Amino acid sequence: MPNQTFSLYLDVVRFLAAVLVLLYHSNWRELITDQVPLGGYGHSAVIIFFVLSGFVIAYVSDVKEADAKSYAVNRLSRIYSVAIPVLLMTPLLDVWGESISPVFYEDKTTHDLWYVRIFSSLLFLNEVWFVSIMSFSNVPYWSLCYEVWYYVIYAAYIFMRGWKRWVAIVSIALLLGPKILLLFPLWLVGVAIYKWQITYNLSVFKACVLWLMSFFAFYGFHEYGVQYALADLLKAWGGDYLYEQLTFSKYFLSDYLLVPIIAINFIAFRRLSGLCPNMPQAVSRCIRYVSGFTFILYLSHQPLLQFYGAVINGNPDSSRFYLTVIGLVIITVFALGFLTERRKRTWKRFFDLLLSWKGRTRSLNT
């Protein structure tokens, strides 16, 4: 079980990863002429999310959610409390913003077959097989269409038994196709970190060295362009068609090199956190509060960036324009957080009643 310090560390990493994704998507010339510092770390930040997600799901299913119903209620309320409001908000912002300043939406959104986009997004089917359905301007939504199915596969594994378990897992795999499954082992690394208790036996010195080295390795990974070099290699080997069909999984070669760096960072800090297992209450409360807006920041920032960019339509040579847009995005994210993530209990009660009603209906019919 992670101690408080390690748990807070993961919250900090999770929030900073969302900030990196925000910087990545804000790094376009309509908003700012210069390159944004740390603006090239977006995809790597998503891989951090995958590893974190695997760790957290392994923990909660082991300690807090011992049955399938509680697992389902918590996952559904967590996801839909944010996904549904953002999904409904995005096309409205897109249409409004595009009518004000179309340049901010060129090749960055689409409105055709809107009902298909909403339906597939609600069921997280946007990236199955070689389909790639854009959720309007909300590009980051793709990762949710991977992660949700990792929850489902893991639930089938831990809550089902015998031949039914494997029939369910194979059926889900056949529904999803290779793109989503290609990154599933990265998510499972998070599960392995939680399960692999032997890492607590690291010496403090080794843990400190490994933790510091992981930051240098993470920096070097991006400084030397490993992600794009291996993507180009994949394109040369497999051809343009395969490269394009893989869409967000086309960086899988470098992702498999990046994940050990992330894993080492988490493993090493888990050992170091044992030196100070508890943090001051004020620090803990502050970190928990801010990190509570991570999901809404991640899932809403892209349409908000484009909308505020279009509304203000300032000079990209001026940092004032860029900082104003970023400031408005952050303010809006925090406001949305109180209407979404901070209302998880309401969604939780809804899904609890829904699944309880389904369970009673099933028992009456048998």
Side-chain angles (χ1 to χ4, degrees), residues 1-2 6 10 51-66 71 154 157-159 161 165 187-201 266-267 270:
M1 181 181 298
F6 184 57
L10 296 183
V51 179
L52 273 169
S53 174
F55 182 94
V56 170
I57 295 301
Y59 165 66
V60 296
S61 61
D62 184 39
V63 176
K64 298 181 179 181
E65 300 164 5
Y71 181 93
Y154 191 69
Y157 179 77
I158 62 175
F159 294 120
R161 296 291 180 269
R165 168 197 285 175
W187 189 89
L188 289 175
V189 167
V191 177
I193 294 171
Y194 172 76
K195 300 283 187 183
W196 197 26
Q197 302 297 317
I198 194 173
T199 56
Y200 286 105
N201 297 328
F266 291 170
I267 290 168
R270 179 168 64 180

Side-chain angles (χ1 to χ4, degrees), residues 312-346:
I312 300 172
N313 196 13
N315 180 8
D317 293 327
S318 168
S319 59
R320 181 182 296 179
F321 172 47
Y322 176 82
L323 292 175
T324 301
V325 171
I326 295 296
L328 288 171
V329 169
I330 292 172
I331 291 169
T332 306
V333 162
F334 275 83
L336 288 172
F338 288 103
L339 301 174
T340 56
E341 290 200 78
R342 301 290 172 173
R343 295 289 181 267
K344 273 191 298 186
R345 290 183 181 178
T346 303

Side-chain angles (χ1 to χ4, degrees), residues 68 122 137 145 161 171 177 232 250 261 273 284 297 312 350:
L122 284 172
S137 67
C145 297
R161 296 291 180 269
S171 299
D232 290 341
K250 62 190 175 189
I261 298 172
S273 68
S284 171
L297 171 61
I312 300 172
F350 168 75

Side-chain angles (χ1 to χ4, degrees), residues 43-44 47 218 221-222 253-263:
H43 182 79
S44 298
I47 303 305
F218 188 78
F221 178 90
H222 295 90
L253 291 176
S254 59
D255 293 341
Y256 275 79
L257 291 180
L258 178 64
V259 160
I261 298 172
I262 300 168

Side-chain angles (χ1 to χ4, degrees), residues 87-88 91 113-123 136:
L87 182 59
L88 296 177
L113 300 175
W114 60 268
Y115 46 90
V116 174
R117 297 181 190 281
I118 291 178
F119 179 77
S120 64
S121 297
L122 284 172
L123 297 181
F136 305 100

Side-chain angles (χ1 to χ4, degrees), residues 207-336:
C208 188
V209 170
L210 288 172
W211 186 61
L212 292 174
M213 284 180 60
S214 68
F215 286 104
F216 286 110
F218 188 78
Y219 173 78
F221 178 90
H222 295 90
E223 184 68 15
Y224 290 100
V226 175
Q227 175 181 318
Y228 299 106
L230 290 181
D232 290 341
L233 187 62
L234 175 66
K235 189 174 184 179
W237 284 349
D240 292 346
Y241 180 77
L242 176 64
Y243 183 80
E244 294 299 329
Q245 292 303 309
L246 287 176
T247 53
F248 299 105
S249 296
K250 62 190 175 189
Y251 301 117
F252 77 92
L253 291 176
S254 59
D255 293 341
Y256 275 79
L257 291 180
L258 178 64
V259 160
I261 298 172
I262 300 168
I264 288 170
N265 181 278
F266 291 170
I267 290 168
F269 192 85
R270 179 168 64 180
R271 175 64 182 90
L272 294 175
S273 68
L275 301 175
C276 181
N278 295 303
M279 296 289 287
Q281 189 175 15
V283 175
S284 171
R285 189 177 300 159
C286 180
I287 292 174
R288 297 290 191 206
Y289 181 81
V290 174
S291 67
F293 294 91
T294 300
F295 191 25
I296 185 64
L297 171 61
Y298 177 78
L299 211 58
S300 68
H301 72 269
Q302 177 76 39
L304 289 174
L305 279 171
Q306 293 182 213
F307 175 72
Y308 284 125
V311 170
I312 300 172
N313 196 13
N315 180 8
D317 293 327
S318 168
S319 59
R320 181 182 296 179
F321 172 47
Y322 176 82
L323 292 175
T324 301
V325 171
I326 295 296
L328 288 171
V329 169
I330 292 172
I331 291 169
T332 306
V333 162
F334 275 83
L336 288 172

